Amino acid sequence: MRIVVTVKYVPDATGDRHFADDLTVDRDDVDGLLSELDEYAVEQALQISENSDDDVEITVLTVGPEDAKDALRKALSMGADKAIHVEDDDLNGTDALGTSLVLAKAVEKAGYDLVISGMASTDGTMGVVPALLAERLGVPQVTLLSEVWVEDGTVTGRRDGDAASEQLEASLPAVMSVTDQSGEARYPSFKGIMAAKKKPVESWDLSDLDIEADQVGLEGAWTKVDSAAERPARTAGTIVKDEGEGGKQLAAFLAERKFV
Amino acid sequence: MAEVLVYVDHVDGAVRKSTLELLTLARRIGEPVAVALGNGAADTAATLAEHGAVKVLTHEAAEYADYLVVPKVDALQAAVEAVSPAAVLVPSSAEGKEVAARLALRIGSGITTDAVDLEVGDEGPVATQSVFAASFTTKSRVSKGTPVITVKPNSAAVEAAPAAGAVEALAVTFSVQATGTKVTARTPRESTGRPELTEAAIVVSGGRGVNGAENFAIIEALADSLGAAVGASRAAVDAGWYPHTSQIGQTGKSVSPQLYIASGISGAIQHRAGMQTSKTIVAINKDAEAPIFDLVDYGVVGDLFDVVPQLTEEIKTRKG
Ligand SMILES: Cc1cc2nc3c(=O)[nH]c(=O)nc-3n(C[C@H](O)[C@H](O)[C@H](O)COP(=O)(O)OP(=O)(O)OC[C@H]3O[C@@H](n4cnc5c(N)ncnc54)[C@H](O)[C@@H]3O)c2cc1C
């Protein structure tokens, strides 16, 4: 079975994230890393492989700038077998629809039975790429799973929705996404880190995928960001130390604001 | 006047509040035409008409409940083809975003997710979004095709605006993909008797500082004194003290209530992502340096086991 895990290299959420002049996400001033939510996808791929009697080959795929290789290395050191890096200057500013196009073409070129994604990126947080990927590939979407089983060419899993918890089932090939409830991701071992250095990383550009420059990038995006403004810092509130009356003082504040 | 499609989120005909908020926003852009699918679809019409829907397109079929996402995309696509709307608005639930994204791709349109406001612009609707854990506000618009926009709960007021709400049957042909992912079982979430987290005007939440599942009773007591919903940080959820469906933050629910009360929560960036747009923020934390205090309108540095019960008592006394 061939599993492709899509991963994203994102600016560290605990850093000072901001926008570049062209209103794309500034990736220069903040450290990047493998999106934590994609670690769960890598973990599930590894578990599927460990629990399978068949040979499973895990490829990690990223679309992103040169530094995005770091994300691939991390996934390889966790235990993935090989990596594909789609990199092209024309990709800067690509929106979710464009990203799903690049991923779909790359997944098809790589060959797959199962695609696994994280539930959302930690920077864009749209959470729509797995659904878009399924739409483009024309295969079932089994997304937002918190529990996963793959057996005999069938994916099953639990999706905790707003109104209900659902049990899903689809045949392979399929696109799956997993939540942060699916199981802690493992830390790379020392052996894993050393082994990752020798694992193959292929680089593809847009021409390898038969994608025209105007289908992606800022120009190809179907949404335009007109402005981005830092939210004004909240005006400093009143902070009191509880000297035995803290609850009552808080109640008085809530009453003054008409909540009580 | 241009028509605006509004995708109706309902449970067996009971329309959820987020949909009524969408109708308020849709009326700024044009005439709202609602699309209600699945069991009870026609029962939504009266409520939708009261809030401004000129038409309600309905289609009932077992596929909507038996298969994931795609049947709804097929139906919305049919509605777009029938109406040629100026925009399509969808509630920003996890499923709503997936439906909206696939629809956008199919009809060759751009998509904006998680809008918190919508206004009319020269070149189509302009959506306001809150990004990077709500530390930035962006304004964006869809530049190709029919704008597909998902809107977060609590982004607009529910307004009465009586309209015809004429029910029309929508003709839907399901695609081959529609039956790709089967829903083999469904366990409805048990009602807590409290308001829905994303819809609530007041949210009271507890974190690691609550220190045990049984202690959440004091958080619940405070919530009940205010008629509030109960939320939790991921640390409290991961510890098994409160259900994941109540988690607030990046990988949980995003809330934007009038009042948010955080007890024993430090205010990590991923938690802030889900609550920073709350109107009034209050925190109780024994650590004066906790980052949550950077956000608050009112903060009490103290032990939540002293402060919260006293607060609850005082609220009850004041309410009589
Ligand atoms: C990819 C990713 C996604 C995440 N998603 C989410 C998410 O959706 N939601 C979320 O909440 N977190 C999320 N997190 C986790 C987040 O980073 C924090 O770890 C988490 O929010 C901490 O929860 P907490 O504030 O309850 O716990 P802590 O950070 O441990 O804070 C507990 C606080 O309680 C206070 N306290 C302790 N005892 C008392 C007492 N008796 N009285 C008063 N105060 C007391 C302490 O002073 C402290 O400030 C995510 C992390 C990652 C990496």
Side-chain angles (χ1 to χ4, degrees), chain A residues 14 35-37 40 122 180, chain B residues 206-211 232-236 238 241 247-253 263-272 274 284-288 290-292 300 302-306:
Chain A
T14 56
S35 170
E36 282 124 333
L37 295 175
Y40 294 95
T122 56
D180 61 340
Chain B
R208 198 193 307 272
V210 175
N211 200 24
S233 72
R234 180 161 121 179
D238 283 355
W241 303 338
Q247 182 178 315
I248 291 170
Q250 184 180 11
T251 54
K253 300 266 162 60
S263 300
I265 292 179
S266 62
I269 186 85
Q270 295 89 355
H271 187 78
R272 292 158 79 138
I284 299 147
N285 195 305
K286 66 180 181 191
D287 175 9
I292 190 86
V300 180
D303 193 321
L304 70 91
F305 295 101
D306 298 328

Side-chain angles (χ1 to χ4, degrees), chain B residues 10-136:
Chain B
H10 71 98
V11 179
D12 298 332
V15 181
R16 296 184 66 176
K17 186 168 155 246
S18 55
T19 301
L20 304 180
E21 295 165 6
L22 289 195
L23 290 171
T24 300
L25 295 174
R27 284 190 296 115
R28 293 186 192 160
I29 306 167
E31 293 192 319
V33 174
V35 182
L37 306 171
N39 189 30
D43 301 339
T44 62
T47 311
L48 297 169
E50 269 169 49
H51 296 88
V54 295
K55 247 189 277 178
V56 181
L57 307 179
T58 62
H59 187 240
E60 297 200 19
E63 279 83 349
Y64 296 115
D66 293 350
Y67 298 93
L68 192 73
V69 171
V70 188
K72 292 166 184 161
V73 181
D74 291 341
L76 266 184
Q77 185 181 10
V80 168
E81 281 159 12
V83 172
S84 303
V88 181
L89 307 187
V90 180
S92 255
S93 59
E95 183 184 80
K97 289 203 277 187
E98 293 183 328
V99 170
R102 295 186 71 143
L103 173 74
L105 183 54
R106 279 198 197 173
I107 63 174
S109 295
I111 174 169
T112 300
T113 56
D114 295 324
V116 294
D117 198 8
L118 214 52
E119 59 207 329
V120 181
D122 296 339
E123 295 164 279
V126 176
T128 305
Q129 289 163 291
S130 228
V131 303
F132 295 159
S135 57
F136 275 82

Side-chain angles (χ1 to χ4, degrees), chain A residues 40-53:
Chain A
Y40 294 95
V42 176
E43 176 61 35
Q44 286 309 313
L46 294 169
Q47 288 193 19
I48 291 166
S49 169
E50 286 157 6
N51 296 333
S52 170
D53 300 330

Side-chain angles (χ1 to χ4, degrees), chain B residues 169-220:
Chain B
L170 178 69
V172 180
T173 317
F174 290 119
S175 62
V176 188
Q177 265 76 46
T179 51
T181 306
K182 213 177 158 111
V183 179
T184 53
R186 176 176 287 115
T187 320
R189 224 172 75 209
E190 270 175 50
S191 164
T192 58
R194 298 194 179 88
E196 185 64 38
L197 196 51
T198 55
E199 299 176 357
I202 303 180
V203 173
V204 173
S205 66
R208 198 193 307 272
V210 175
N211 200 24
E214 62 291 349
N215 296 340
F216 256 87
I218 71 165
I219 300 294
E220 290 180 334

